[in-house]
Structures are given as structure tokens and as C-alpha cells.
Amino acid sequence: MGEQLAIMKLMQSCANNPTMPFSAAIDAEFDSVEFFNPETQQVEDVSDLWSFQNTPKVTANLGFTKEFALESGSLVWSGSVSYRDDTQIFEVPSPLDEEAYSLTNTSLVWYSNSGQWTVGLHAKNVLDEEYRVSGYNFGSTFGENIVTGYYGDPRTVSLSVGYRF
């Protein structure tokens, strides 16, 4: 978290056009969930154990854009940090549940004075955060307890070149 805080402070100090921070808090709870427990042979209220799937309590995003004037055009640096709180993949707790994580992205794009050329260098998930976005828990359907997780993209860096006719 220290690296992300340093990046956020750098973004704040460099930005001449910060995007407004956006944060969402969701207080999703079940009023009542009646579940038949085969072990006790009784119907039980499990609303305090179950959660809405893929619904973190807090999500937030902070971004910036900084433009530098050059003789040949302009250079635009932008970046963002997004946060996603603990997330339960299914209503029932499972090994697939994901802890809170943050992602950091940045781009540096040159725009020619004529507006015809652009060259950009883009980095996503700069800190190479490993995070799970989905998965399946097959239980013992096939004779084994099979759990499969799907993960978000690792750090990616790309270069783009554009020309407008």
C-alpha cells in the first residue's frame, strides 16, 4: 500500500487537471436468507454468513491529466489508481473470494501540432498486482474438489502510433 500512496501523492502534486475522485460505498445486505441445512435437517437463517456476489463495500478511483507544451506539439501524461474492497465471488464464502486490491495505470501520449500524429506509451497494472476476477468451485462433482480461478491482466505495456488523414 506504501507504493500506491507514493504514486497517489506524486499524481496529486503533478496534476493540473485532476479528475474528481469518485468513491462508491454499497451497503448490500440480505434481510433474510432461509437455507435448509442437510446436516441439522433444519431451515436456518444464513443472512449473516452470505453476501451479495461481486459487490465490494467500497470502490474508488483517482486520476489525473497533465499537459506539457512542446515545440513539436504537446505531451499528455495521465494516470489513475483504482481501489476495490474485499469481494465475495459467490453468495456463500469460498476459497475464490478476493481480498481488496488497487490497480495503477499510466499513459504518456505525444500529439503533433497538426493533430495528425499521435504516439503513446501506456502501462496498465503498473505494480503487477495479482487479482482474481471470477472463478468456479465445482466441489466434488468429478470426484475431486476442483476450484478454478480467473485472474485480471498482469502488468502490460503497449506502444501506439496513430495518423489521421
Side-chain angles (χ1 to χ4, degrees), residues 54 84 87 89 94-99 101 129-136 147-152:
N54 293 314
R84 184 175 173 96
T87 304
I89 301 294
S94 84
L96 292 167
D97 294 345
E98 181 61 37
E99 293 181 359
Y101 62 90
E129 180 74 24
E130 186 175 285
Y131 59 102
R132 189 172 25 260
V133 294
S134 183
Y136 295 101
V147 177
T148 303
Y150 298 97
Y151 291 81

Side-chain angles (χ1 to χ4, degrees), residues 3 9 23 27 55 61-62 65-66 73-74 78-79 97 99 108-109 111 114 117 120 122 124 126 137 149 153 155:
E3 294 169 329
K9 285 184 179 180
S23 176
D27 189 17
T55 307
N61 188 37
L62 174 65
T65 302
K66 172 91 174 155
S74 63
S78 61
D97 294 345
E99 293 181 359
L108 195 58
V109 181
Y111 297 90
S114 67
W117 287 98
H122 315 276
K124 293 185 177 183
V126 173
N137 187 352
D153 292 334
R155 177 187 307 125

Side-chain angles (χ1 to χ4, degrees), residues 136-147:
Y136 295 101
N137 187 352
F138 293 106
S140 59
T141 305
F142 301 107
E144 296 181 34
N145 191 14
I146 300 172
V147 177

Side-chain angles (χ1 to χ4, degrees), residues 59-116:
T59 60
N61 188 37
L62 174 65
F64 74 93
T65 302
K66 172 91 174 155
E67 186 172 353
F68 302 92
L70 305 172
E71 285 185 32
S72 60
S74 63
L75 192 62
V76 177
W77 178 31
S78 61
S80 66
V81 175
S82 61
Y83 171 80
R84 184 175 173 96
D85 206 356
D86 294 348
T87 304
Q88 202 165 293
I89 301 294
F90 302 108
E91 288 86 358
V92 180
S94 84
L96 292 167
D97 294 345
E98 181 61 37
E99 293 181 359
Y101 62 90
S102 296
L103 299 176
T104 305
N105 303 316
T106 189
S107 291
L108 195 58
V109 181
W110 171 76
Y111 297 90
S112 68
N113 282 329
S114 67
Q116 290 182 295

